[in-house]
Every structure is written in C-alpha cells, then in structure tokens.
C-alpha cells in the first residue's frame, strides 16, 4: 500500500479562507474586526519565526494582530500587568502567550491570567475543563488541526481505535479528548508505555506527538491506518523531521501527514478560526460553523 498524503497546505488554505469570509461577515454585519494579541518574551529564534507566521496568517485573513515583543528580562509581574490590560481591552478578542517563556516566569501563572473568552490557544484550565466535560470551548489548535485532517481524509473517528502517542497538555491529552468526543475508542501512550509498537499496531488512527524523529516506523503501524504526525524535530541536516518515519510508514498506512507541510500549517490555520470565533462569540453572530464543535463545520 502507498499512503495518500493529507496535504496540510491545501487544507490550511481552506480553513484560512473560511476565517477570512467570517471576518468579512463580522465587519459588514457587526462593524468589528477580529483582533489577536500575541505576547512574545525574549528572543528564542523558533518563537520569533512562529510569531511572524501568526502575523502573516492574520494579515492574510483580515484579522488585526498586535504583537508585543518584550525583552527577556521582563518580570512575571510586568507580563501579568500587560495581560490584564489586554484582558480589559474590548477591541482585543484573542490573547496568546508564545511558549516557552524565560525560566524566571511560571507559564501556568501566565496562562491562567488569560480570560477564557479570549483563550484562543485553548490552554487555560477553564478551556481544558470544558473540553474534558464536552462543553463548548476553544480547542487547542494542534489537536483541532489533527481532527480536521482526519475528517478531510474522509475518515470518521467514530468506532475506530485511536492511539495517541504523547500526553502533553497542549497536544496529546486534548487530542485524546477530542477523539473521544468524536466517539473513537482512545488509548494514550507515553514514555512509560512498555510495548509501544504493540499498542500502535492496534490503531486505526495513530497520532504521534512525542518530539523524537522517526520514532514510529512501518512495523508499528496497522495496514490501512491513518497516521497523523505532529512531531517537529530539527535534524542534524538542518531539516524538519516528524515523529513518523515517512518512508516505511507510508508503505503501510492508508493516509499520512507530511512534515513539513502537515499539522504545523493546520495549527496556524486553526488559530485564525479560534480568533474569529472569539470575536463572533461577542456578537452572537452565526458564522455558519459551530463554536460548540469547532472541528465539524
Ligand atoms: P512534550 O515534550 O510536552 O510531550 C512529549 C510526550 O511524548 C510526553 O507525553 C512523553 O511522555 C512522550 N514520550 C517521550 N518519549 C516517548 C517514547 N519514547 N515513547 C512514547 N512516548 C514518549 O511535547 P509536546 O506535546 O509539546 O510536542 C510533541 C511534539 O510535537 C514535538 O516535536 C513538538 O515540537 C511538536 N509540536 C508540533 C506542533 C505542530 O503544530 N505541528 C505543535 C506543538 C508541538 P511522558 O509524559 O511520559 O514524559
């Protein structure tokens, strides 16, 4: 078997076009332009690239972006004060704090200060709790992008066995909850899972979110499985590699996402949709896609 590629570039463009149309609706019918505020502390080169990408996406969708580039020595109190200002600013609809933060700042304290209605990354405990309970919420962008890619492949998660490798709060756990919400039977693996290969081989849908290049190989994949590669690993060759060994896995899977050109682009696109939804929620405007179930629209 030679797996079909789920093209993140094409899908991300579709999602961004949907966001751009929604922006037009909000402007024409309600006179508001969605606005995303991004806080970047320090000079981590990867973070700077990610933030520039978000600025570009906002511009492409007609979303206003405000990027606050703060020096590495910014104190936690200063950052919290900035957040409080943005929380109170009615013209700002979404707030995002670019991670990682410098070591002297506690990420939880900062994330917790984002009001749930502006939490377009879906990282606050309120958003996480709502996702756990199956309530309307902002879904973290990467898992939302993964689900969108699975659906775009024409695969319905309902009744399937989904295996998620990785249990971080921003990818693995929310991906598992989202799959559960879509009626998959879900297994979550992590660094203490004794026989990872055996568990992965039972997956109809396999999501790898670990951060170890080439961890998932063809012999770990059930023939015909859908494989979603979240991993982003910079190789010694300077190139980006996923957690999935593309060559061996694509010989076994039915669908596979590439790295680069896969989940990363979808993550960025879903952020645009979450931002538009944050603005729309203030107006009660029906954008034609559901805030209750953001990956089905
Ligand atoms: P974390 O480091 O927070 O979590 C990694 C997870 O992988 C942990 O749960 C860990 O287990 C598990 N793990 C580590 N080693 C193994 C192993 N040998 N076998 C099974 N599980 C293992 O990473 P993130 O979730 O933040 O990110 C994961 C990857 O996804 C990274 O490459 C990151 O760069 C990428 N990423 C990509 C995004 C995108 O848009 N495409 C967005 C966000 C992340 P344990 O809990 O036991 O330690």
């Amino acid at each position: 078997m030679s797996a079909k590629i789920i093209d993140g570039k094409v899908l991300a463009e579709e999602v961004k076009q949907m966001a751009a149309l929604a922006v037009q609706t909000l402007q024409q019918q309600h006179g508001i332009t969605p606005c995303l505020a991004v806080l970047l502390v320090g000079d981590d080169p990867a973070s700077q690239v990610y933030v520039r990408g978000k600025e570009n996406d906002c511009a492409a969708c007609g979303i206003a972006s405000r990027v606050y580039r703060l020096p590495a020595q910014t104190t936690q109190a200063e950052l919290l004060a900035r957040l409080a200002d943005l929380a109170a600013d009615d013209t700002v609809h979404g707030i995002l704090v670019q991670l990682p933060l410098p070591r002297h700042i506690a990420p939880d304290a900062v994330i917790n200060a984002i009001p749930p209605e502006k939490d377009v990354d879906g990282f606050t405990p309120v958003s996480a709790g709502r996702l756990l309970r199956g309530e309307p919420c902002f879904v973290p962008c990467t898992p939302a992008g993964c689900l969108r890619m699975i659906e775009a492949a024409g695969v319905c998660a309902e009744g399937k066995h989904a295996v998620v490798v990785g249990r971080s709060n921003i990818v693995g756990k929310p991906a598992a909850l989202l799959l559960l919400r879509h009626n998959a039977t879900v297994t979550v693996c992590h660094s203490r899972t004794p026989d990872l290969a055996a568990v992965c081989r039972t997956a109809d849908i396999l999501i790898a979110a670990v951060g170890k290049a080439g961890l998932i190989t063809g012999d770990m994949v059930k023939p015909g499985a859908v494989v979603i590669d979240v991993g982003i690993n910079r190789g010694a060759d300077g190139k980006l590699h996923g957690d999935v060994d593309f060559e061996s896995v694509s010989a076994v899977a039915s669908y596979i996402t590439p790295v680069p050109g896969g989940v990363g682009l979808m993550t960025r696109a879903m952020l645009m949709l979450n931002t538009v939804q944050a603005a729309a929620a203030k107006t009660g405007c029906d954008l034609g896609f559901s805030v209750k179930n953001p990956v089905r629209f």
Side-chain angles (χ1 to χ4, degrees):
M1 181 176 292
S2 184
K4 290 191 183 129
I5 291 177
I6 308 174
D7 190 336
K9 203 170 171 189
V10 171
L11 286 176
E13 280 311 312
E14 279 175 25
V15 171
K16 283 195 284 182
Q17 275 173 24
M18 200 181 290
L21 278 174
V23 170
Q24 284 174 20
T25 304
L26 285 166
Q27 284 171 333
Q28 285 160 10
Q29 295 182 8
H30 299 273
I32 63 168
T33 299
C35 174
L36 174 67
V38 177
L39 290 155
L40 172 62
V41 186
D43 40 24
D44 177 60
S47 294
Q48 288 182 5
V49 171
Y50 290 140
V51 168
R52 265 200 304 278
K54 286 163 190 170
E55 277 180 300
N56 291 341
D57 289 339
C58 282
C61 295
I63 294 172
S65 65
R66 288 194 215 163
V67 178
Y68 299 87
R69 291 182 169 83
L70 307 175
Q73 60 272 26
T74 302
T75 65
Q76 183 167 311
E78 286 166 343
L79 184 56
L80 289 174
R82 184 65 69 115
L83 267 174
D85 287 345
L86 294 171
D89 186 337
D90 280 344
T91 63
V92 171
H93 305 102
I95 302 174
L96 179 154
V97 178
Q98 185 66 43
L99 300 176
L101 288 165
R103 278 206 204 140
H104 63 276
I105 299 178
D108 284 350
V110 173
I111 298 297
N112 292 357
I114 299 173
E117 67 276 13
K118 298 190 181 188
D119 177 24
V120 286
D121 251 346
F123 287 174
T124 63
V126 172
S127 296
R130 287 178 180 159
L131 183 63
L132 181 76
R133 291 167 58 95
E135 294 172 6
C137 62
F138 291 113
V139 177
C141 302
T142 302
C146 292
L147 261 289
R148 181 86 181 129
M149 294 180 102
I150 292 166
E151 292 192 335
V155 175
C156 176
E158 180 158 336
K160 303 282 192 313
H161 183 208
V163 172
V164 180
V165 190
R167 56 172 166 179
S168 71
N169 287 331
I170 61 171
V171 189
K173 282 183 203 157
L177 290 169
L178 215 47
L179 286 158
L180 200 57
R181 199 191 266 202
H182 284 248
N183 298 322
T185 302
V186 182
T187 302
V188 181
C189 299
H190 45 77
S191 66
R192 318 286 170 89
T193 300
D195 190 348
L196 182 67
V199 183
C200 288
R201 273 194 292 270
T202 66
D204 304 306
I205 296 169
L206 180 60
I207 297 186
V210 175
K212 286 193 164 46
L215 176 74
I216 308 293
T217 47
D219 58 319
M220 298 167 74
V221 173
K222 181 176 172 177
V226 177
V227 180
I228 307 292
D229 191 354
V230 178
I232 299 178
N233 310 286
R234 179 79 58 186
D237 54 5
K239 293 184 182 162
L240 294 184
H241 300 272
D243 289 345
V244 172
D245 178 52
F246 189 86
E247 202 179 324
S248 64
V249 172
S250 57
V252 184
S254 60
Y255 288 93
I256 190 168
T257 65
V259 177
V263 176
L265 295 174
M266 287 303 284
T267 298
R268 286 171 45 179
M270 298 314 279
L271 175 66
M272 299 300 106
L273 217 49
N274 275 356
T275 304
V276 169
Q277 286 180 330
K282 288 192 72 171
T283 65
C285 175
D286 180 5
L287 294 173
F289 50 82
S290 166
V291 179
K292 285 187 183 157
N293 197 348
V295 294
R296 282 197 183 136
F297 37 73

